[in-house]
Amino acid sequence: MNETKALFNNLKLLTEQDLPMPVLFIGHGSPLNAIEVNEFTRNWMELGKHLPAPKAILCISAHWETSGTRVTAMEVPKTIHDFGGFPDELFRFQYPAPGSPVFAEMTASEITNTHIESDFDWGLDHGSWSVLCRMFPLANIPAFQLSLDYTKPPQWHYDLAKELQFLRKKGVLIIGSGNMVHNLRLMRFNNQAYEWAAAFDLKLAELIKDGNHDAIINYHRFGSMADLSVPTNEHFLPLLYTLALQQKNEKIEFFNDKNVLASISMRSMVIY
């Protein structure tokens, strides 16, 4: 807890300096985090208070996979309830943040190594709004999303993310939203993590601290603990978008570094 408070204080100092916006990876967990107050959501709320004020927010969410890459470019993105079996209160929840057609167009035009298509149908899925509603509850900061091309390998996503660096310098907060360990099929209703889940989460933390991005991109080399922790990679890929944006001499700090439901890591981080 003291380490988390120190992180928030350090972030507050950034507002006094001419530095790129921080980059976040958020382990978003259950959609219920949008309406429940717990240790994770409290930290999201505190984080929002201490970040430099962004001009816009770009989310790379685990929950928008496409063939090809798209960026939401509408004036008013809808709140997408892309889940089932949750309370009516969650389905009624709306996050009415404006979109950012200007930054969306800029993203599409500045990315040169792949075609980015403007999208006017998607909106904000729960990988984005369940986190943003805690960090920025007034919903007054323009928010847009970049999709994950499910046809491409991890290295491709990491390379694409590097081209987003210019947005940080323009005051855009970039958030990768997923989970480093995410196996819903094997989850159980206690927080005692499987050995493989805890081991892979700690291995990733070690590699992140060491700056060994190549090993993280090629996570499948870690065998069964990686196969069980990342049975499908849509929740893992947003981590690569965050790591690719780390510049030389920038710090990485973890928070919410706990496991839930035995097979989900809530570990989150800030690069600044």
Side-chain angles (χ1 to χ4, degrees):
M1 183 60 69
N2 289 336
E3 291 179 355
T4 301
K5 287 183 178 179
L7 165 62
F8 294 157
N9 289 334
N10 289 340
L11 288 173
K12 199 165 187 177
L13 294 175
L14 292 180
T15 60
E16 303 169 6
Q17 305 174 49
D18 184 23
L19 294 172
M21 284 294 294
V23 187
L24 310 180
F25 175 78
I26 302 297
H28 65 241
S30 169
L32 288 171
N33 286 322
I35 58 175
E36 292 181 349
V37 176
N38 54 51
E39 61 182 307
F40 307 120
T41 62
R42 280 193 289 268
N43 280 336
W44 296 349
M45 290 185 277
E46 284 300 310
L47 181 60
K49 294 174 185 176
H50 290 85
L51 286 166
K55 294 180 180 177
I57 302 166
L58 172 61
C59 289
I60 299 96
S61 165
H63 295 280
W64 191 25
E65 295 184 275
T66 56
S67 177
T69 305
R70 302 177 191 173
V71 63
T72 55
M74 66 285 291
E75 292 279 355
V76 183
K78 63 188 174 184
T79 303
I80 302 172
H81 301 89
D82 50 333
F83 43 71
F86 289 97
D88 289 343
E89 179 186 359
L90 195 58
F91 287 95
R92 292 194 299 268
F93 190 94
Q94 295 292 313
Y95 187 72
S100 184
V102 172
F103 276 118
E105 182 180 351
M106 195 180 300
T107 300
S109 63
E110 291 287 333
I111 300 298
T112 58
N113 289 329
T114 192
H115 174 67
I116 308 291
E117 182 180 346
S118 294
D119 183 278
F120 298 92
D121 296 321
W122 188 248
L124 297 175
D125 60 57
H126 83 268
S128 294
W129 62 258
S130 68
V131 173
L132 294 182
C133 73
R134 294 305 199 177
M135 291 186 187
F136 307 102
L138 297 179
N140 59 351
I141 300 173
F144 64 118
Q145 287 196 204
L146 186 73
S147 72
L148 296 171
D149 185 346
Y150 62 79
T151 71
K152 302 297 185 184
Q155 182 69 58
W156 183 93
H157 290 277
Y158 182 86
D159 294 340
L160 169 60
K162 282 188 171 296
E163 294 192 71
L164 299 173
Q165 192 68 248
F166 77 97
L167 289 171
R168 297 183 64 192
K169 299 175 183 178
K170 293 183 179 294
V172 177
L173 176 65
I174 301 176
I175 302 176
S177 178
N179 293 98
M180 296 187 194
V181 175
H182 186 269
N183 190 328
L184 293 183
R185 183 173 59 87
L186 295 180
M187 72 178 186
R188 56 192 180 193
F189 289 95
N190 66 62
N191 291 332
Q192 182 63 46
Y194 292 104
E195 288 186 10
W196 49 264
F200 189 63
D201 174 71
L202 290 174
K203 171 58 71 174
L204 288 175
E206 174 187 316
L207 294 171
I208 290 168
K209 281 295 188 182
D210 289 344
N212 191 345
H213 294 183
D214 182 69
I216 298 168
I217 292 166
N218 295 287
Y219 64 91
H220 59 276
R221 295 175 183 170
F222 292 105
S224 61
M225 70 174 177
D227 295 339
L228 288 166
S229 298
V230 189
T232 57
N233 70 4
E234 76 286 342
H235 278 75
F236 188 83
L237 291 177
L239 172 64
L240 300 185
Y241 280 81
T242 300
L243 290 174
L245 291 165
Q246 182 183 11
Q247 299 187 67
K248 187 177 181 180
N249 299 324
E250 284 192 311
K251 299 178 182 178
I252 289 185
E253 300 288 351
F254 296 122
F255 65 101
N256 284 355
D257 50 345
K258 291 188 176 181
N259 297 291
V260 296
L261 299 174
S263 60
I264 297 173
S265 167
M266 293 296 288
R267 184 182 296 275
S268 302
M269 68 184 191
V270 182
I271 295 175
Y272 65 102

